Amino acid sequence: MLEDRSDSPAAPELRVEVRGLRPEDFDAVVTIDERNVGRRREEFFRIKLAENLAAAGIRVSLAAEVDGVLVGFLLARVFYGEFGRTEPSAALDTLAVYPNLHGLGIGHALLAQLRLNLSALGVASIQTEVSWDDQPLLAFFHREGFRPAPRLALDLEVARP
């Protein structure tokens, strides 16, 4: 695995290569997610990757590599009309980078490529959800240009019989 460069005062510029996510990335995706959230979510990613990789056209689910090692990924979907809107939009489901490599531009590289890919599809906006308590992730999205949406997300707990 790559050495931890995140706390180095003069961290070297990483050469990040972004490509489409592939089925063989499954184990690395699950490992990166586990390192970030603290538990393995294999079934969740088995379903998500199957959905994302089945879509034809320009890739909107991406992988980031450094020195040939998968170090980050994102899963996104394109909607052609959602909640009464007719213009295409994208939903960013998951973005993750190995924790010891946070702050080195890997997430930025993934989002930059996603923007290019979505622009080619005529998609004008990306939506995502972030826990209010996850200040580092909120700060990252703020730096990337995300702003609070002018709509309110509502939840309703479904009672169990």
Side-chain angles (χ1 to χ4, degrees):
M1 187 63 223
L2 298 167
E3 65 189 68
D4 184 351
R5 303 179 211 184
S6 60
D7 57 1
S8 169
E13 186 75 22
L14 293 179
R15 182 169 151 74
V16 180
E17 293 188 30
V18 178
R19 60 168 174 78
L21 201 59
R22 301 186 291 240
E24 57 268 23
D25 296 326
F26 176 78
D27 291 332
V29 163
V30 171
T31 299
I32 292 169
D33 179 70
E34 179 182 19
R35 300 261 172 91
N36 280 286
V37 301
R39 66 185 192 283
R40 284 187 78 74
R41 302 188 299 168
E42 288 185 33
E43 191 57 28
F44 171 78
F45 281 105
R46 193 174 322 284
I47 293 166
K48 282 294 195 187
L49 285 172
E51 290 172 355
N52 278 271
L53 297 175
I58 294 177
R59 293 292 178 133
V60 294
S61 291
L62 303 170
E65 292 183 343
V66 173
D67 299 331
V69 177
L70 195 137
V71 296
F73 68 93
L74 67 74
L75 299 176
R77 296 170 285 142
V78 173
F79 296 103
Y80 292 95
E82 189 78 4
F83 297 110
R85 292 178 296 201
T86 57
E87 67 279 355
S89 64
L92 176 59
D93 289 327
T94 306
L95 180 129
V97 172
Y98 264 110
N100 65 328
L101 299 175
H102 287 181
L104 298 178
I106 296 165
H108 173 75
L110 284 162
L111 281 176
Q113 186 63 55
L114 179 63
R115 285 184 187 111
L116 284 172
N117 293 3
L118 292 174
S119 178
L121 292 172
V123 174
S125 66
I126 304 169
Q127 289 86 41
T128 194
E129 291 185 12
V130 181
S131 169
W132 184 253
D133 297 327
D134 193 340
Q135 293 302 309
L137 188 56
L138 283 168
F140 167 77
F141 280 124
H142 179 76
R143 285 189 307 275
E144 290 296 319
F146 283 79
R147 299 293 178 258
R151 58 194 170 277
L152 183 61
L154 302 173
D155 285 335
L156 172 66
E157 289 194 30
V158 178
R160 294 186 179 173

